[in-house]
Amino acid sequence: MFRRQVLRTVLAVLVATLAAAGVQLATGAPAAAVRTVYYDASRTGEFRTNFDQAAQIWNSRVSTVRLQPGTPASITIYVDDGWPRAQPTGLGSGRIWMGRTAVNQGYDRNRIAAHELGHILGLPDRRTGLCTDLMSGSSAPVSCRNANPSSAEASRVNSLFAGSLTAPATGTTYTWDGAGDVGPTVVGGRPASENYPFMVYVSGCTGTLIKANWAVTAKHCSTPSSVRVGSINRSSGGSVVSVTRAVNHPSVDVKLFQLGSSVSYAPAPIPSTSGAVGTATRIIGWGQTCARPGCGSAPAVANELDTSIVADSRCSGINGPYEICTNNTNGNSGACYGDSGGPQVRRVNGVWNLIGATSRAGNNNSTCATGPSIYVDLPSIRSWINTQVGGLPV
C-alpha cells in the first residue's frame, strides 16, 4: 500500500514538472469539449437544405467544432441575386450570402454552401483550380461537384478551433467570383462578372459583335455556319444567328463575319486608339482555363481577366503598328486555346470599348500564360473594318 502511494506521488510530481516545461502526457483525461457553432439559415429560401447538408459535411470531417442550426446564431445566412460571399467577424462567426449568380451559371449548390461555411471556419480562398480543394471555389471548373473539404482543409479547421493555430484576422469579404483576387487559373481569370452583350461564341473560338449584323474574330479561326450572340454562356441564352460571309484582313490575324440577320444586342464600339503602355484592359473568352495544350475543355461561361498593355519589346515577333502586347497578369494568367479572336476591351467614359482581338502567344510557348499575349490592334485597322461593314456605329 505504502509503495503504491509513493508511486502515485512520484507520478504526480513528474506530470506537474513536465507540464511546467510545456510537455503534455496522455493520462486518459477526456478531450477538450467540442465547440458548437449555431447557424441561422432561415433566410436562405430554396437553399436552406444545401446549408444543412454543407453543415453535416463539415461535421463529418472535423472534430473540434460542430455546426448546429439554432438561435441565437453566430452565423447568419442570407440569399440574394449577386455572387455568393462570406464576411467573417470572428472564428466561427459572420455573415454569408448565397448569391444566385453562381447557381445560375451552373456551380454546385452544396459546394458553394460548404465553401462559404469554410470561410467562417477560418479558411481563406486558395484558388488552385483543383476540384479536390473546396476553397478553390470558382477557380475550379463549373462542372466540379465536390462539396467536401480536403484533408488539409479539415486539419486546418481542427487546429484553429483547438487553439493550436492563430485565428485569421477579420474584416475581409470573400466573394465567390474572386473579384479583386486573381486566381491561378482565358487562364488565371474568373467567370464573367457581367453579361457582356457583345460576346460572340464562334465554334472553338471567341468573337465580338461590332455592328448589328457583323462580328470580328481571328483569321486563323474556322468559319462556322452559325454563331451565338449576346450571351456569356456558349450553350444557352442570346441568339443563334447564321453566318453568311467571312472577310479576311489581307495582312493581320482578323476575320469579319457577316450575320444572316441583325441582332438587338449592343455592339462594342471600336475607339480611334487602343491606348498607351500601362492602359488597364480586360480580356474575355471561352478558352481553356488550364495552361497546357489539351488539358481541359472550354468553360460553359466565358472567363475574364484584368490585365494591361505592356511594351512591344515584351512580345516576340510582334507587328508593332498593328498589334498589342498584353501582359500575362502575375506571370501566370492570360489568353489560352479557345480565346482566339476574343475581345480585349478597356473602359472609355464607363463603356467597354473594343481595342483588340486575341491572336497568339507573345513568347512562342505552347503553354499558355507563360508570357504576354499578342492581340490585333483593331483601332489601327478601324478604317478597313468601317469600309467592309458599310459603316461602324457612331
Side-chain angles (χ1 to χ4, degrees):
M1 177 69 72
F2 178 74
R3 288 180 62 191
R4 280 199 290 259
Q5 289 176 337
V6 170
L7 285 172
R8 289 194 191 101
T9 301
V10 171
L11 180 59
V13 172
L14 177 61
V15 169
T17 302
L18 290 173
V23 179
Q24 295 182 345
L25 295 179
T27 61
V34 177
R35 178 178 165 187
T36 299
V37 172
Y38 291 96
Y39 67 91
D40 178 5
S42 63
R43 302 173 179 86
T44 57
E46 69 268 35
F47 303 109
R48 172 63 187 265
T49 58
N50 299 113
F51 278 94
D52 289 338
Q53 291 171 28
Q56 290 307 311
I57 288 172
W58 275 108
N59 289 343
S60 69
R61 284 163 174 76
V62 295
S63 57
T64 57
V65 60
R66 181 171 181 80
L67 295 169
Q68 187 79 23
T71 53
S74 57
I75 305 174
T76 307
I77 310 169
Y78 308 90
V79 64
D80 63 17
D81 292 328
W83 286 102
R85 55 203 183 277
Q87 190 177 72
T89 56
L91 184 61
S93 64
R95 293 175 289 275
I96 292 172
W97 288 264
M98 181 66 168
R100 293 188 178 93
T101 296
V103 176
N104 292 341
Q105 292 191 0
Y107 288 101
D108 184 75
R109 296 180 176 203
N110 287 344
R111 177 173 169 82
I112 296 170
H115 173 94
E116 301 305 337
L117 283 173
H119 286 312
I120 306 299
L121 297 179
L123 299 180
D125 279 321
R126 299 291 187 199
R127 298 186 181 277
T128 62
L130 300 176
C131 186
T132 51
D133 292 339
L134 178 62
M135 303 313 293
S136 67
S138 65
S139 72
V142 175
S143 59
C144 175
R145 296 291 179 263
N146 173 47
N148 299 309
S150 67
S151 58
E153 291 167 334
S155 176
R156 182 168 181 83
V157 169
N158 275 330
S159 297
L160 285 167
F161 280 85
S164 56
L165 284 178
T166 302
T170 59
T172 299
T173 297
Y174 298 99
T175 305
W176 177 262
D177 74 331
D181 176 17
V182 175
T185 128
V186 195
V187 172
R190 56 181 178 259
S193 60
E194 54 189 279
N195 191 33
Y196 304 101
F198 49 76
M199 292 299 293
V200 177
Y201 178 66
V202 182
S203 182
C205 284
T206 303
T208 309
L209 187 71
I210 56 174
K211 191 177 179 178
N213 63 332
W214 284 90
V216 62
T217 188
K219 188 194 309 186
H220 71 263
C221 293
S222 61
T223 300
S225 59
S226 64
V227 294
R228 186 181 296 276
V229 185
S231 176
I232 56 173
N233 192 311
R234 63 187 174 92
S235 58
S236 65
S239 300
V240 176
V241 188
S242 64
V243 175
T244 59
R245 187 161 66 104
V247 181
N248 291 329
H249 190 275
S251 57
V252 296
D253 188 15
V254 160
K255 179 190 295 186
L256 302 176
F257 286 148
Q258 185 173 14
L259 307 181
S261 59
S262 295
V263 296
S264 58
Y265 307 104
I270 300 175
S272 58
T273 60
S274 56
V277 170
T279 297
T281 68
R282 176 172 291 181
I283 60 175
I284 314 165
W286 283 281
Q288 63 183 43
T289 58
C290 51
R292 296 190 178 278
C295 60
S297 59
V301 174
N303 273 226
E304 65 184 32
L305 174 70
D306 292 325
T307 182
S308 62
I309 297 174
V310 294
D312 288 349
S313 58
R314 295 274 303 278
C315 286
S316 174
I318 192 171
N319 182 352
Y322 297 100
E323 292 179 326
I324 303 168
C325 188
T326 302
N327 194 29
N328 58 321
T329 307
N330 292 335
N332 63 0
S333 305
C336 203
Y337 303 103
D339 288 318
S340 290
Q344 179 178 21
V345 294
R346 69 179 178 96
R347 289 275 195 187
V348 179
N349 297 324
V351 176
W352 288 117
N353 277 221
L354 179 65
I355 64 168
T358 319
S359 179
R360 62 195 185 279
N363 63 345
N364 299 315
N365 194 322
S366 62
T367 300
C368 302
T370 54
S373 297
I374 294 175
Y375 281 68
V376 174
D377 188 332
L378 295 177
S380 73
I381 59 168
R382 191 181 192 280
S383 60
W384 176 84
I385 296 173
N386 188 69
T387 299
Q388 300 304 315
V389 305
L392 285 166
V394 177

